[in-house]
Amino acid sequence: MPNLLRPVALATVALLSACGARQTPPATEPVATTAAAPSTAALTPPTLRLPKDVRPKGYAVELTLDPKASAFQGVAEIGLDVSKPTSVVWLHGKNLTVKQATLTQGGTPREATVHRSEAGDFLGFSVTEPLTLGTAKLRIVYEGIASEKETDGAFRVNEGGDWYVFTQFEPIDARRVFPCFDEPEFKVPWQFTFHVPAGNVAVTNTPQLGEEARPDGGRTYRFGRTQPLPSYLIAFGVGPFDFLEAADSGQKKVKTRIITPRGRTAEGAYAAKVTPEILAALEEYFGIPYAYEKLDVIAVPLLGGAMEHPGLVTFNSRLILSKPEEDSIGRQRAFADTQVHELGHQWFGNLVTLAWWDDLWLNESFASWVTPRIVESWQPTWDAPVERVQDRSRSLDSDSLLSARRIRQPIDSANDIHNAFDGITYGKGSAVLSMTEEWLGREVFRKGIQRYMKRHAHGNATAKDFLDALSAEAGQDVTGVLSTFLDQGGAPLVTATLECGAGQPKVVLTQQRYLRLGSKAPQPQTWKVPVCVKYAVGNKDAKACTVLEGERAEVALTEAKTCPAWVFPNAEGAGFFRIQLAGEAAKKLTKTGMAKLSRTERVALLGDVRALALAGALPASEALALAERAAHDPDRAIVESTMEMLDLVSSRLLPEARQADRARFLRETYGPRARELGFTPRKGESEDTRLLRPRVIRLAGRDGADPKLVAEAKGLADKWLSNPAAVDPELVDAVLSIAAAHGDAAFQQKLLTAVRAEKDRSRRGEMIFALSGFTDPELVKQNLGLIFEKGMDPRETMWMAFAASQHVKTQGVAFDFVTKNYDKLVGDSPDALLPQDAAGRLSFVGRSFCGEEQRKALADFFTPRAEKAPGGPRTLAQVLESVDQCVALKAAQAKSVESFLDGRVTHPQPKLQKTR
């Protein structure tokens, strides 16, 4: 599953991606069969993991589903391997009503008594006479619920007037659809049969074997047996689908299709074109063909991203589908990047599966790492190396929290499983792999991966298995370096000092943990850090590398005959650390080295300058002055990197009286380019220009309040409401964002009327996005009423509360809305709007706070509630620490920011150059 948290609204998207959660429990408890149960003392349920004395050998599951109905019926037959005599078989099962259970061994069926654990998601099936060593079979007849609240487990969606059922099981939601061994190490074959009403089609991981008419007029679909898979990789869909054939994919020429809701196959054309290309590129890299029998990619409305199920990859419908006349480069690139990630999982995660969730990085870090690796050769103009460095910087931001997880965080509770799907696993893990790849060499790293894949294909693996394979190919033990990044939190700040006295010039490196203002390290930390120093040798560049193993190391610049004109201690931005240049090194780089750095190095440097200001090691005014100069660069990547630096002049740090000065800075810095680019794309302009246009227009118009841009955006937004073609597809979000931020009650009412009547989900989503952009507190209060409005889907509208929480004028409105309506949103009542599992992320509503009183209110309200919410304690700890960091930054740097705003009015505006 991809990490969709870049580049903005990280916390909000994280919550929305996980808004699916607890289903409404069935009205009746599971029905126990008549066999007598062993004593209660003998039936101690598991607490986290299942016992290993009984393991599955395979599943045959038969499901009867009607997408128009919430209840479904199932029959699961599970082959068992009993390695120790036992009277009870424990499985996972959640919100399932068991009607009958039978255990058969040696040809003798025995009715089983069903036991539900008081805490956790466990079902026990007991018999009076113990099972003996050998094989057995468990047959369970049950009912379950396909929810309309969530997007996990089995869930229902009405799309275009048709009902559909989809699934999302990772990490621990297969148990909502069938009783099973719901842990990744239980990797066995599955086989499915579906009974569905007339007019519906069923799809799952494997090719269809047969289709039959049913006496009731419905259809039965039978599917082939899967290769060994864990439960979280199972998927299915039922509904009136249409199918778009793509070219056969991979060395084995497997059948490839894009599956869409009824009547929308034309919208899948881009996905059909690039999917076979991506699979071919991945096969070439791994040297191993795609392992599965087909490759279907299915559009799923409301899904939080995408998911890599072998044979049935699922995608949020707005990410995979677009009408040709409404498509954009941004949407296409987002789909392609995500598809590389998902198809990368066919090797990392599917072919070789993690043994337990503490090694989730073996799935997600690798799939995130392989994305830019494939894209840079498949689409070399897309700037994948630069995007890798930008993602690295964001991951370092996530890792600046003391409350951040480790990459390999021990999993001691279900909370830890929920928390594992975060920016550390995806982003930090990917960046550490990139650093390791550059340290060892790309071909060595590739051979290590191939060795690991071939050794563990169709099985499970651990971190040790990968490190052993990589060490074997590298000819050295890589564990010492990698374990310091995998098994402890945080990242180093590497300080480099250039020494050019008698003898050979050298760079002295020291390290300590990087921390922002507001966070205090509990104890000293060190890493084993691969560092490559790039430096000037006359008119050429040279590189000297080492592994910084302790607090200090020296790097001899052996090719330098005199003191280098400049040094840069993170060649190509490959290292997962922040850098600080001391003394002469900083002056030399500023004076002569900046123009000599590569684009990736310049992006890395801008990110590190921002980080130093956030840590209090550099005045914010100096960082902002650099951002202002770089904002006029012709290179899109550089301009976008300056936008990342603007949190140093966040409205949260400034009093109301200085907000106009902030807006003027943004308007004067980004407005000239925005006005020059305008709202109308020009024939023949570069893709970089088309990608940059909406970002600078949104920034200068929404935040900078550029009057020309605001007026034009308002006019276009009004036209768009009656004619979507009035605004270029790449600019719809920018136009609506500006119009809403400066909008009045009249425009709000137009949007409210339109969103209530709109049937097209994509267009309705754009309207909800627009409503989320209002900054008038009274209008925002009215907008939030939509969340409880009958006929609106809270899986779409809840976004508005979290969007409001990010603006200084409306964050209090959002906090009050969530706290006053908490029980209605995620309470224990079946009538609660959102599933209970969403409760763990509701504290994100306070993440943009920047005051002591706000922090206290946030902690007072959410602390007792977070203890009861899945993933809640760590999420709240991270939110509170983020607030602490903002409070400390405001105290330390606000005067520097105001000084910058005071002094910059005399700065001349450089002449704009054409965007790269």
Side-chain angles (χ1 to χ4, degrees):
M1 186 172 231
N3 180 20
L4 297 181
L5 309 189
R6 42 169 208 172
V8 294
L10 309 190
T12 304
V13 178
L15 183 137
L16 294 174
S17 294
C19 256
R22 181 166 304 178
Q23 297 171 348
T24 303
T28 58
E29 286 298 304
V31 178
T33 52
T34 55
S39 67
T40 303
L43 289 179
T44 302
T47 55
L48 178 63
R49 302 185 68 172
L50 293 169
K52 302 300 187 290
D53 51 359
V54 179
R55 302 176 67 93
K57 293 169 61 67
Y59 297 81
V61 180
E62 191 170 334
L63 295 173
T64 302
L65 299 111
D66 182 350
K68 294 179 180 179
S70 59
F72 65 86
Q73 295 73 45
V75 179
E77 292 190 354
I78 310 172
L80 305 175
D81 187 359
V82 183
S83 60
K84 180 181 177 182
T86 181
S87 296
V88 60
V89 176
W90 288 103
L91 273 67
H92 290 104
K94 184 173 184 179
N95 298 340
L96 301 177
T97 302
V98 177
K99 299 295 186 180
Q100 184 182 35
T102 305
L103 269 166
T104 300
Q105 191 173 48
T108 303
R110 287 173 279 178
E111 288 192 34
T113 300
V114 183
H115 308 266
R116 182 188 294 274
S117 63
E118 293 184 6
D121 307 332
F122 300 100
L123 293 174
F125 298 88
S126 66
V127 288
T128 53
E129 183 179 343
L131 297 173
T132 59
L133 272 65
T135 60
K137 183 173 72 174
L138 174 60
R139 185 177 188 272
I140 306 165
V141 180
Y142 65 97
E143 288 187 356
I145 298 294
S147 173
E148 287 183 69
K149 281 188 179 184
E150 55 207 286
T151 53
D152 290 320
F155 60 95
R156 299 195 304 136
V157 177
N158 188 298
E159 187 76 356
D162 295 316
W163 282 97
Y164 298 83
V165 172
F166 300 100
T167 59
Q168 168 58 39
F169 294 158
E170 188 181 34
I172 51 173
D173 288 304
R175 63 193 66 179
R176 300 178 184 219
V177 178
F178 22 74
C180 59
F181 293 77
D182 199 11
E183 296 175 21
E185 75 167 280
F186 298 114
K187 192 174 182 181
V188 297
W190 298 67
Q191 190 158 19
F192 284 90
T193 299
F194 296 90
H195 307 295
V196 302
N200 291 276
V201 178
V203 291
T204 187
N205 302 78
T206 53
Q208 181 181 309
L209 295 182
E211 176 184 351
E212 308 162 11
R214 290 170 52 80
D216 60 4
R219 310 294 292 179
T220 293
Y221 293 90
R222 305 184 189 280
F223 293 89
R225 190 173 175 86
T226 73
Q227 297 184 49
L229 295 178
S231 52
Y232 81 86
L233 286 176
I234 298 302
F236 61 81
V238 174
F241 298 115
D242 282 343
F243 299 83
L244 174 62
E245 300 285 341
D248 291 346
S249 294
Q251 297 174 24
K252 297 180 180 178
K253 300 296 181 184
V254 299
K255 186 179 183 64
T256 303
R257 303 179 297 182
I258 309 301
I259 305 175
T260 76
R262 190 202 306 266
R264 298 184 64 184
T265 55
E267 299 177 41
Y270 182 78
K273 174 184 178 296
V274 301
T275 294
E277 297 174 9
I278 292 169
L279 193 73
L282 286 160
E283 285 188 333
E284 194 278 330
Y285 182 86
F286 290 117
I288 300 171
Y290 174 72
Y292 304 99
E293 296 82 5
K294 69 178 176 74
L295 178 53
D296 283 339
V297 188
I298 185 170
V300 180
L302 296 174
L303 182 71
M307 181 65 199
E308 66 266 18
H309 320 98
L312 189 64
V313 179
T314 53
F315 263 84
N316 177 279
S317 56
R318 291 185 66 185
L319 184 57
I320 188 175
L321 302 179
S322 180
K323 297 174 183 176
E325 67 275 13
E326 296 178 1
D327 209 358
S328 68
I329 293 172
R331 200 283 311 176
Q332 290 179 355
R333 288 195 184 184
F335 168 78
D337 283 349
T338 307
Q339 184 68 301
V340 177
H341 181 109
E342 301 311 325
L343 296 184
H345 272 307
Q346 306 309 310
W347 288 265
F348 293 120
N350 297 5
L351 183 65
V352 181
T353 304
L354 73 164
W356 179 236
W357 296 112
D358 56 351
D359 273 324
L360 180 63
W361 75 288
L362 291 174
N363 287 20
E364 300 300 348
S365 299
F366 278 89
S368 299
W369 161 81
V370 84
T371 299
R373 175 62 60 247
I374 295 300
V375 171
E376 71 176 351
S377 55
W378 173 56
Q379 296 288 352
T381 64
W382 285 13
D383 269 350
V386 173
E387 291 192 357
R388 174 189 62 77
V389 175
Q390 290 171 331
D391 287 346
R392 157 200 165 274
S393 190
R394 296 181 191 113
S395 300
L396 284 162
D397 284 347
S398 299
D399 215 18
S400 71
L401 295 170
L402 290 174
S403 52
R405 296 174 54 260
R406 312 173 214 168
I407 295 175
R408 292 195 76 246
Q409 182 76 30
I411 302 295
D412 298 322
S413 69
N415 278 342
D416 294 325
I417 299 174
H418 287 285
N419 291 141
F421 293 81
D422 68 352
I424 297 299
T425 299
Y426 289 78
K428 178 181 179 179
S430 170
V432 168
L433 291 173
S434 292
M435 176 178 68
T436 305
E437 180 186 30
E438 295 303 317
W439 167 48
L440 298 176
R442 290 193 174 190
E443 193 55 30
V444 168
F445 193 75
R446 181 185 186 185
K447 289 180 178 177
I449 287 173
Q450 291 175 343
R451 176 189 286 255
Y452 165 75
M453 289 289 169
K454 291 172 182 175
R455 177 75 179 271
H456 301 285
H458 298 293
N460 296 94
T462 65
K464 182 179 184 303
D465 295 323
F466 172 71
L467 295 175
D468 286 349
L470 188 57
S471 296
E473 290 296 338
Q476 60 176 305
D477 186 0
V478 304
T479 304
V481 169
L482 273 168
S483 64
T484 64
F485 286 90
L486 295 174
D487 296 325
Q488 67 174 335
L493 170 64
V494 174
T495 300
T497 305
L498 176 62
E499 294 189 359
C500 292
Q504 184 74 52
K506 63 184 179 182
V507 170
V508 177
L509 303 172
T510 59
Q511 65 163 304
Q512 64 187 76
R513 179 168 180 165
Y514 170 80
L515 287 171
R516 288 187 184 183
L517 292 163
S519 297
K520 296 181 180 179
Q523 60 187 21
Q525 288 178 259
T526 59
W527 290 258
K528 293 184 178 180
V529 191
V531 179
C532 282
V533 180
K534 185 175 178 180
Y535 60 99
V537 179
N539 293 324
K540 298 181 180 179
D541 302 335
K543 190 165 67 172
C545 300
T546 189
V547 175
L548 172 59
E549 295 196 0
E551 293 182 1
R552 185 180 187 278
E554 296 182 358
V555 184
L557 308 181
T558 57
E559 295 187 42
K561 306 305 180 186
T562 60
C563 195
W566 56 270
V567 297
F568 184 71
N570 192 4
E572 297 307 322
F576 189 74
F577 50 84
R578 295 295 190 187
I579 64 168
Q580 182 174 27
L581 290 164
E584 285 298 311
K587 295 177 183 177
K588 284 173 172 283
L589 184 64
T590 302
K591 183 178 180 181
T592 61
M594 292 288 286
K596 304 294 184 181
L597 298 181
S598 70
R599 297 173 64 238
T600 55
E601 289 163 345
R602 292 178 67 197
V603 168
L605 178 62
L606 289 171
D608 288 342
V609 167
R610 168 182 168 274
L612 291 175
L614 292 171
L618 181 74
S621 58
E622 292 185 22
L624 288 168
L626 175 62
E628 184 177 26
R629 292 193 300 272
H632 302 284
D633 197 282
D635 192 317
R636 174 176 67 90
I638 303 302
V639 177
E640 290 180 344
S641 294
T642 70
M643 295 177 182
E644 300 280 346
M645 302 174 74
L646 296 179
D647 51 0
L648 294 171
V649 68
S650 167
S651 57
R652 298 185 297 161
L653 304 179
L654 297 169
E656 178 63 31
R658 302 310 301 263
Q659 297 297 332
D661 295 329
R662 173 182 180 271
R664 183 170 63 251
F665 160 59
L666 298 175
R667 179 169 64 248
E668 293 177 353
T669 303
Y670 298 94
R673 191 193 299 267
R675 291 190 298 272
E676 178 188 341
L677 291 174
F679 288 91
T680 304
R682 300 172 180 87
K683 185 177 180 180
E685 64 188 4
S686 70
E687 290 194 356
D688 270 356
T689 297
R690 292 171 62 186
L691 290 166
L692 182 60
R693 173 182 284 109
R695 293 202 65 183
V696 294
I697 286 177
R698 181 188 296 111
L699 180 58
R702 181 192 62 190
D703 299 315
D706 183 286
K708 182 177 185 298
L709 297 175
V710 171
E712 192 166 355
K714 286 183 173 181
L716 287 170
D718 272 335
K719 292 178 181 178
W720 178 85
L721 282 172
S722 57
N723 176 21
V727 179
D728 185 86
E730 292 169 349
L731 288 164
V732 170
D733 284 354
V735 165
L736 295 178
S737 179
I738 296 169
H742 302 280
D744 56 14
F747 180 55
Q748 178 219 28
Q749 288 303 314
K750 290 179 184 178
L751 278 170
L752 289 172
T753 299
V755 77
R756 288 171 175 134
E758 184 57 56
K759 302 301 182 185
D760 181 86
R761 187 180 301 277
S762 179
R763 186 162 162 79
R764 186 167 66 246
E766 291 171 327
M767 294 173 182
I768 292 169
F769 172 82
L771 288 165
S772 300
F774 279 85
T775 56
D776 181 313
E778 288 304 316
L779 298 182
V780 169
K781 285 181 184 178
Q782 296 171 24
N783 292 343
L784 294 181
L786 274 183
I787 294 173
F788 287 107
E789 189 168 307
K790 189 175 181 180
M792 301 300 295
D793 192 329
R795 293 174 291 187
E796 295 177 317
T797 53
M798 191 62 195
W799 161 263
M800 293 190 296
F802 297 95
S805 76
Q806 297 171 48
H807 196 281
V808 68
K809 289 184 179 179
T810 56
Q811 58 185 204
V813 174
F815 183 74
D816 289 346
F817 173 81
V818 169
T819 54
K820 290 177 180 178
N821 293 290
Y822 186 89
D823 290 338
K824 294 180 182 177
L825 290 170
V826 291
D828 293 328
S829 166
D831 296 327
L833 199 66
L834 301 172
Q836 184 67 34
D837 285 2
R841 293 173 174 82
L842 281 184
S843 61
F844 276 128
V845 77
R847 192 174 185 272
S848 292
F849 283 164
C850 198
E852 294 286 1
E853 292 185 6
Q854 290 174 315
R855 185 200 189 281
K856 183 178 185 303
L858 179 66
D860 287 349
F861 183 84
F862 280 104
T863 297
R865 292 166 176 83
E867 290 296 327
K868 305 172 186 177
R874 184 179 294 274
T875 299
L876 178 60
Q878 292 180 340
V879 168
L880 291 173
E881 189 178 353
S882 295
V883 176
D884 291 337
Q885 290 180 340
C886 187
V887 171
L889 178 67
K890 186 175 183 178
Q893 294 278 31
K895 290 189 182 302
S896 181
V897 175
E898 292 187 41
S899 173
F900 166 77
L901 294 174
D902 289 336
R904 65 164 301 279
V905 293
T906 60
H907 293 175
Q909 296 298 313
K911 185 178 180 181
L912 289 172
Q913 304 175 56
K914 289 187 177 180
T915 303
R916 176 189 174 276

